Tab-separated table of all heavy atoms in Angstrom:
chain	number	residue	atom	x	y	z
A	990	LEU	N	6.008	12.891	-14.570
A	990	LEU	CA	4.644	13.321	-14.283
A	990	LEU	C	4.050	14.038	-15.492
A	990	LEU	O	4.740	14.745	-16.224
A	990	LEU	CB	4.637	14.256	-13.070
A	990	LEU	CG	5.176	13.661	-11.759
A	990	LEU	CD1	5.076	14.683	-10.640
A	990	LEU	CD2	4.432	12.382	-11.387
A	991	PHE	N	2.761	13.820	-15.682
A	991	PHE	CA	2.056	14.439	-16.805
A	991	PHE	C	1.700	15.890	-16.474
A	991	PHE	O	1.320	16.180	-15.332
A	991	PHE	CB	0.759	13.681	-17.111
A	991	PHE	CG	0.964	12.266	-17.571
A	991	PHE	CD1	1.108	11.231	-16.656
A	991	PHE	CD2	0.983	11.952	-18.924
A	991	PHE	CE1	1.277	9.925	-17.067
A	991	PHE	CE2	1.156	10.652	-19.341
A	991	PHE	CZ	1.310	9.632	-18.422
A	992	PRO	N	1.770	16.795	-17.426
A	992	PRO	CA	1.232	18.143	-17.183
A	992	PRO	C	-0.276	18.018	-16.912
A	992	PRO	O	-0.999	17.428	-17.707
A	992	PRO	CB	1.502	18.889	-18.493
A	992	PRO	CG	2.548	18.087	-19.195
A	992	PRO	CD	2.337	16.663	-18.782
A	993	HIS	N	-0.729	18.553	-15.787
A	993	HIS	CA	-2.136	18.357	-15.430
A	993	HIS	C	-3.053	19.115	-16.393
A	993	HIS	O	-2.668	20.134	-16.987
A	993	HIS	CB	-2.393	18.804	-13.987
A	993	HIS	CG	-2.438	20.287	-13.809
A	993	HIS	ND1	-3.577	21.031	-14.058
A	993	HIS	CD2	-1.501	21.181	-13.410
A	993	HIS	CE1	-3.343	22.296	-13.815
A	993	HIS	NE2	-2.090	22.426	-13.427
A	994	LYS	N	-4.272	18.593	-16.531
A	994	LYS	CA	-5.301	19.253	-17.340
A	994	LYS	C	-6.528	19.585	-16.490
A	994	LYS	O	-7.623	19.760	-17.011
A	994	LYS	CB	-5.700	18.356	-18.518
A	994	LYS	CG	-4.563	18.095	-19.506
A	994	LYS	CD	-5.034	17.224	-20.670
A	994	LYS	CE	-3.898	16.964	-21.645
A	994	LYS	NZ	-4.336	16.094	-22.778
A	995	PHE	N	-6.303	19.644	-15.179
A	995	PHE	CA	-7.389	19.938	-14.245
A	995	PHE	C	-7.798	21.399	-14.404
A	995	PHE	O	-6.969	22.303	-14.307
A	995	PHE	CB	-6.919	19.678	-12.813
A	995	PHE	CG	-7.987	19.812	-11.774
A	995	PHE	CD1	-8.717	18.719	-11.355
A	995	PHE	CD2	-8.270	21.043	-11.193
A	995	PHE	CE1	-9.700	18.835	-10.377
A	995	PHE	CE2	-9.243	21.179	-10.226
A	995	PHE	CZ	-9.958	20.063	-9.819
A	996	LYS	N	-9.068	21.624	-14.658
A	996	LYS	CA	-9.577	22.983	-14.856
A	996	LYS	C	-10.261	23.454	-13.573
A	996	LYS	O	-11.332	22.970	-13.215
A	996	LYS	CB	-10.557	23.024	-16.024
A	996	LYS	CG	-9.915	22.647	-17.362
A	996	LYS	CD	-10.944	22.654	-18.492
A	996	LYS	CE	-10.294	22.261	-19.809
A	996	LYS	NZ	-11.282	22.233	-20.922
A	997	PRO	N	-9.646	24.399	-12.871
A	997	PRO	CA	-10.230	24.891	-11.611
A	997	PRO	C	-11.363	25.875	-11.859
A	997	PRO	O	-11.678	26.215	-12.995
A	997	PRO	CB	-9.040	25.572	-10.928
A	997	PRO	CG	-8.181	26.025	-12.057
A	997	PRO	CD	-8.356	25.022	-13.173
A	998	ARG	N	-11.994	26.306	-10.788
A	998	ARG	CA	-12.995	27.363	-10.845
A	998	ARG	C	-12.848	28.227	-9.604
A	998	ARG	O	-12.197	27.826	-8.629
A	998	ARG	CB	-14.423	26.792	-10.943
A	998	ARG	CG	-14.947	26.253	-9.630
A	998	ARG	CD	-16.309	25.599	-9.752
A	998	ARG	NE	-17.388	26.504	-10.048
A	998	ARG	CZ	-18.109	27.151	-9.147
A	998	ARG	NH1	-17.842	26.992	-7.848
A	998	ARG	NH2	-19.100	27.931	-9.496
A	999	GLU	N	-13.420	29.392	-9.633
A	999	GLU	CA	-13.415	30.277	-8.463
A	999	GLU	C	-14.592	29.884	-7.576
A	999	GLU	O	-15.757	30.098	-7.930
A	999	GLU	CB	-13.549	31.730	-8.920
A	999	GLU	CG	-13.245	32.747	-7.835
A	999	GLU	CD	-11.787	32.800	-7.470
A	999	GLU	OE1	-10.936	32.535	-8.345
A	999	GLU	OE2	-11.494	33.093	-6.287
A	1000	TRP	N	-14.289	29.297	-6.411
A	1000	TRP	CA	-15.344	28.821	-5.526
A	1000	TRP	C	-15.901	29.953	-4.677
A	1000	TRP	O	-15.150	30.804	-4.187
A	1000	TRP	CB	-14.829	27.696	-4.634
A	1000	TRP	CG	-14.574	26.440	-5.401
A	1000	TRP	CD1	-13.379	26.003	-5.888
A	1000	TRP	CD2	-15.539	25.468	-5.799
A	1000	TRP	NE1	-13.543	24.819	-6.560
A	1000	TRP	CE2	-14.863	24.469	-6.521
A	1000	TRP	CE3	-16.918	25.351	-5.606
A	1000	TRP	CZ2	-15.514	23.360	-7.060
A	1000	TRP	CZ3	-17.572	24.242	-6.137
A	1000	TRP	CH2	-16.871	23.268	-6.851
A	1001	GLU	N	-17.206	29.944	-4.508
A	1001	GLU	CA	-17.865	30.930	-3.671
A	1001	GLU	C	-17.433	30.754	-2.210
A	1001	GLU	O	-17.077	29.658	-1.776
A	1001	GLU	CB	-19.384	30.800	-3.784
A	1001	GLU	CG	-19.937	31.119	-5.175
A	1001	GLU	CD	-19.829	29.966	-6.152
A	1001	GLU	OE1	-19.248	28.914	-5.782
A	1001	GLU	OE2	-20.296	30.098	-7.289
A	1002	SER	N	-17.488	31.843	-1.443
A	1002	SER	CA	-17.032	31.815	-0.053
A	1002	SER	C	-17.839	30.832	0.790
A	1002	SER	O	-17.355	30.345	1.815
A	1002	SER	CB	-17.110	33.216	0.556
A	1002	SER	OG	-18.443	33.713	0.519
A	1003	GLU	N	-19.059	30.515	0.370
A	1003	GLU	CA	-19.883	29.589	1.154
A	1003	GLU	C	-19.230	28.215	1.252
A	1003	GLU	O	-19.390	27.503	2.253
A	1003	GLU	CB	-21.277	29.450	0.538
A	1003	GLU	CG	-21.290	28.839	-0.857
A	1003	GLU	CD	-22.652	28.895	-1.514
A	1003	GLU	OE1	-23.492	28.049	-1.159
A	1003	GLU	OE2	-22.868	29.774	-2.366
A	1004	PHE	N	-18.468	27.819	0.225
A	1004	PHE	CA	-17.826	26.511	0.255
A	1004	PHE	C	-16.674	26.493	1.253
A	1004	PHE	O	-16.378	25.448	1.836
A	1004	PHE	CB	-17.366	26.113	-1.149
A	1004	PHE	CG	-18.509	25.779	-2.059
A	1004	PHE	CD1	-19.038	26.727	-2.922
A	1004	PHE	CD2	-19.089	24.520	-2.030
A	1004	PHE	CE1	-20.109	26.431	-3.745
A	1004	PHE	CE2	-20.166	24.213	-2.850
A	1004	PHE	CZ	-20.683	25.166	-3.707
A	1005	THR	N	-16.033	27.628	1.449
A	1005	THR	CA	-15.032	27.732	2.508
A	1005	THR	C	-15.692	27.528	3.859
A	1005	THR	O	-15.171	26.823	4.735
A	1005	THR	CB	-14.347	29.108	2.473
A	1005	THR	OG1	-13.718	29.287	1.200
A	1005	THR	CG2	-13.311	29.228	3.568
A	1006	ALA	N	-16.868	28.122	4.037
A	1006	ALA	CA	-17.615	27.981	5.295
A	1006	ALA	C	-18.053	26.535	5.511
A	1006	ALA	O	-18.016	26.024	6.628
A	1006	ALA	CB	-18.816	28.916	5.294
A	1007	TYR	N	-18.487	25.865	4.435
A	1007	TYR	CA	-18.874	24.458	4.558
A	1007	TYR	C	-17.703	23.634	5.076
A	1007	TYR	O	-17.840	22.801	5.977
A	1007	TYR	CB	-19.312	23.892	3.202
A	1007	TYR	CG	-20.566	24.499	2.618
A	1007	TYR	CD1	-20.673	24.702	1.241
A	1007	TYR	CD2	-21.635	24.868	3.413
A	1007	TYR	CE1	-21.822	25.252	0.684
A	1007	TYR	CE2	-22.787	25.418	2.866
A	1007	TYR	CZ	-22.871	25.612	1.494
A	1007	TYR	OH	-24.001	26.158	0.948
A	1008	ALA	N	-16.522	23.852	4.487
A	1008	ALA	CA	-15.350	23.049	4.831
A	1008	ALA	C	-14.907	23.267	6.265
A	1008	ALA	O	-14.392	22.344	6.910
A	1008	ALA	CB	-14.210	23.375	3.864
A	1009	GLU	N	-15.098	24.471	6.782
A	1009	GLU	CA	-14.647	24.784	8.144
A	1009	GLU	C	-15.439	24.041	9.214
A	1009	GLU	O	-15.024	24.008	10.379
A	1009	GLU	CB	-14.738	26.293	8.378
A	1009	GLU	CG	-13.702	27.091	7.588
A	1009	GLU	CD	-13.896	28.588	7.702
A	1009	GLU	OE1	-14.954	28.993	8.257
A	1009	GLU	OE2	-13.025	29.346	7.243
A	1010	LYS	N	-16.557	23.436	8.846
A	1010	LYS	CA	-17.370	22.706	9.818
A	1010	LYS	C	-16.801	21.326	10.141
A	1010	LYS	O	-17.233	20.678	11.097
A	1010	LYS	CB	-18.796	22.546	9.294
A	1010	LYS	CG	-19.539	23.867	9.067
A	1010	LYS	CD	-20.909	23.619	8.451
A	1010	LYS	CE	-21.639	24.912	8.164
A	1010	LYS	NZ	-22.963	24.672	7.523
A	1011	TYR	N	-15.845	20.877	9.341
A	1011	TYR	CA	-15.328	19.516	9.495
A	1011	TYR	C	-13.982	19.523	10.223
A	1011	TYR	O	-13.216	20.480	10.136
A	1011	TYR	CB	-15.153	18.857	8.122
A	1011	TYR	CG	-16.446	18.656	7.376
A	1011	TYR	CD1	-16.888	19.594	6.461
A	1011	TYR	CD2	-17.236	17.538	7.603
A	1011	TYR	CE1	-18.079	19.424	5.770
A	1011	TYR	CE2	-18.426	17.352	6.921
A	1011	TYR	CZ	-18.841	18.300	6.006
A	1011	TYR	OH	-20.027	18.124	5.331
A	1012	PRO	N	-13.674	18.429	10.929
A	1012	PRO	CA	-12.374	18.348	11.601
A	1012	PRO	C	-11.244	18.148	10.598
A	1012	PRO	O	-11.441	17.557	9.530
A	1012	PRO	CB	-12.529	17.110	12.497
A	1012	PRO	CG	-13.526	16.247	11.776
A	1012	PRO	CD	-14.497	17.224	11.147
A	1013	THR	N	-10.078	18.652	10.930
A	1013	THR	CA	-8.887	18.400	10.127
A	1013	THR	C	-8.308	17.044	10.518
A	1013	THR	O	-8.690	16.457	11.545
A	1013	THR	CB	-7.832	19.483	10.346
A	1013	THR	OG1	-7.389	19.424	11.716
A	1013	THR	CG2	-8.406	20.878	10.054
A	1014	VAL	N	-7.375	16.564	9.729
A	1014	VAL	CA	-6.744	15.292	10.062
A	1014	VAL	C	-5.996	15.413	11.391
A	1014	VAL	O	-5.969	14.454	12.187
A	1014	VAL	CB	-5.808	14.823	8.927
A	1014	VAL	CG1	-4.670	15.806	8.694
A	1014	VAL	CG2	-5.246	13.439	9.232
A	1015	ARG	N	-5.418	16.571	11.658
A	1015	ARG	CA	-4.702	16.756	12.925
A	1015	ARG	C	-5.664	16.653	14.110
A	1015	ARG	O	-5.353	16.013	15.127
A	1015	ARG	CB	-3.981	18.107	12.941
A	1015	ARG	CG	-3.131	18.328	14.189
A	1015	ARG	CD	-2.431	19.682	14.163
A	1015	ARG	NE	-1.599	19.862	15.351
A	1015	ARG	CZ	-0.323	19.513	15.454
A	1015	ARG	NH1	0.269	18.925	14.421
A	1015	ARG	NH2	0.362	19.714	16.563
A	1016	GLN	N	-6.822	17.289	13.999
A	1016	GLN	CA	-7.803	17.203	15.082
A	1016	GLN	C	-8.230	15.760	15.325
A	1016	GLN	O	-8.323	15.307	16.466
A	1016	GLN	CB	-9.021	18.060	14.747
A	1016	GLN	CG	-8.798	19.559	14.891
A	1016	GLN	CD	-10.013	20.346	14.425
A	1016	GLN	OE1	-10.451	20.220	13.290
A	1016	GLN	NE2	-10.564	21.163	15.315
A	1017	LEU	N	-8.501	15.019	14.262
A	1017	LEU	CA	-8.943	13.636	14.414
A	1017	LEU	C	-7.862	12.766	15.038
A	1017	LEU	O	-8.152	11.899	15.879
A	1017	LEU	CB	-9.350	13.069	13.048
A	1017	LEU	CG	-10.623	13.648	12.437
A	1017	LEU	CD1	-10.880	13.044	11.061
A	1017	LEU	CD2	-11.822	13.416	13.341
A	1018	VAL	N	-6.619	12.994	14.635
A	1018	VAL	CA	-5.513	12.219	15.205
A	1018	VAL	C	-5.351	12.531	16.693
A	1018	VAL	O	-5.138	11.632	17.517
A	1018	VAL	CB	-4.210	12.508	14.430
A	1018	VAL	CG1	-2.995	11.988	15.188
A	1018	VAL	CG2	-4.270	11.860	13.046
A	1019	LEU	N	-5.464	13.803	17.051
A	1019	LEU	CA	-5.365	14.181	18.463
A	1019	LEU	C	-6.529	13.607	19.276
A	1019	LEU	O	-6.339	13.164	20.418
A	1019	LEU	CB	-5.323	15.701	18.594
A	1019	LEU	CG	-3.977	16.365	18.290
A	1019	LEU	CD1	-4.148	17.856	18.067
A	1019	LEU	CD2	-2.983	16.114	19.424
A	1020	GLU	N	-7.723	13.622	18.698
A	1020	GLU	CA	-8.875	13.038	19.400
A	1020	GLU	C	-8.659	11.549	19.641
A	1020	GLU	O	-9.012	11.018	20.705
A	1020	GLU	CB	-10.149	13.273	18.590
A	1020	GLU	CG	-10.639	14.719	18.623
A	1020	GLU	CD	-11.823	14.964	17.708
A	1020	GLU	OE1	-12.397	13.977	17.204
A	1020	GLU	OE2	-12.182	16.138	17.489
């Protein structure tokens, strides 16, 4: 495997809130 060169950033808390609106894969599988 190659050493990654992905440069992250510090995401604002609003993006955490955006993500929480969507179902997880577990929820979809159970549905």
Side-chain angles (χ1 to χ4, degrees):
L990 300 181
F991 296 85
H993 75 83
K994 296 181 180 179
F995 186 93
K996 297 178 181 179
R998 76 184 292 271
E999 193 70 30
W1000 290 98
E1001 295 82 356
S1002 59
E1003 64 188 281
F1004 289 96
T1005 301
Y1007 295 143
E1009 290 174 351
K1010 298 176 182 178
Y1011 296 94
T1013 64
V1014 62
R1015 184 180 181 90
Q1016 285 175 303
L1017 290 178
V1018 166
L1019 282 164
E1020 287 174 11

